[in-house]
Amino acid sequence: MDVALHPDVSWLAALIGTWEGTGTGEYPTIDGFSYLESITFGHVGKPFVTYAQRTRHPETGLPMHAEMGYWRIPGPGAIEIVMAQPTGLAEIYEGAMVLDGPTMVVDVRSTSIGATTSAKEVTITERTFSVSGDEMQYTFRMAAVGQPLQHHLSARLQRVA
Ligand code: HEM
């Protein structure tokens, strides 16, 4: 069934589709790493956009991190994201989205992070997405395991479908 994008999330039309690319990660407590990534943004005609992400090891192809979420637009220029992690974390983000010429920039910071008893300590997360046509880049920062807020990930993807 092909339904129209809900008008409340029309600002997110530029994201809909599947994106693939590569990323790198680091943090003071771990060895640096790289990954292959696939992100699919979808919708069902309701006032949210779905987000499903998977990563794989570039040499072995084995699964690495994955996450799923919902993106919402509460008003002009504002964005809310709910993101669930298999590591026992649930992030709530709020932030802004702006158009900079042909580039859409989404910049969000956690307002709360829920954690299961066994999850690692993560107290702040921030994400910045930049989308221009079929090119997407993002960065991810976190305060975690006793470390101050700093870079964990950056990736570059292209729309493939
Ligand atoms: C593309 C997505 C991601 C990839 C590929 C990735 C990959 C990794 C890898 C390889 C490690 C080190 C080994 C391990 O503990 O598994 C790690 C550690 C960690 N990551 Fe990520 N990660 C991603 C996203 C995230 C997100 C979204 C969060 C938080 C919401 C996060 C929080 C952490 C934490 C807390 C650690 C442990 C650091 C430590 O124990 O010293 N990661 N990540």
Side-chain angles (χ1 to χ4, degrees):
M1 191 177 59
D2 209 11
V3 288
L5 189 63
H6 192 286
D8 286 5
V9 288
S10 58
W11 278 74
L12 299 179
L15 296 175
I16 302 297
T18 295
W19 303 75
E20 290 182 356
T22 57
T24 56
E26 58 196 311
Y27 210 62
T29 53
I30 59 174
D31 291 335
F33 57 90
S34 55
Y35 55 94
L36 307 177
E37 180 164 38
S38 171
I39 300 177
T40 298
F41 288 93
H43 76 100
V44 291
K46 291 180 69 74
F48 58 83
V49 160
T50 56
Y51 166 98
Q53 181 258 31
R54 280 183 296 177
T55 61
R56 288 182 291 121
H57 192 280
E59 276 108 47
T60 64
L62 289 171
M64 293 175 66
H65 183 87
E67 59 190 21
M68 301 195 74
Y70 296 98
W71 293 37
R72 298 157 47 78
I73 302 289
I79 185 158
E80 302 174 344
I81 302 176
V82 179
M83 202 77 94
Q85 311 288 346
T87 47
L89 298 167
E91 305 160 84
I92 305 293
Y93 287 102
E94 303 215 13
M97 53 185 307
V98 293
L99 287 177
D100 179 11
T103 305
M104 183 178 87
V105 178
V106 173
D107 201 24
V108 293
R109 181 181 171 102
S110 57
T111 56
S112 75
I113 302 177
T116 61
T117 304
S118 66
K120 291 213 168 161
E121 182 214 17
V122 180
T123 53
I124 305 169
T125 53
E126 289 182 349
R127 301 186 188 227
T128 305
F129 291 82
S130 165
V131 177
S132 185
D134 291 337
E135 305 284 328
M136 174 186 297
Q137 295 178 43
Y138 73 80
T139 57
F140 173 83
R141 300 163 293 285
M142 66 178 176
V145 295
Q147 300 291 317
L149 182 67
Q150 66 196 279
H151 183 81
H152 183 37
L153 309 165
S154 64
R156 188 179 287 264
L157 300 94
Q158 292 193 315
R159 196 194 312 264
V160 295

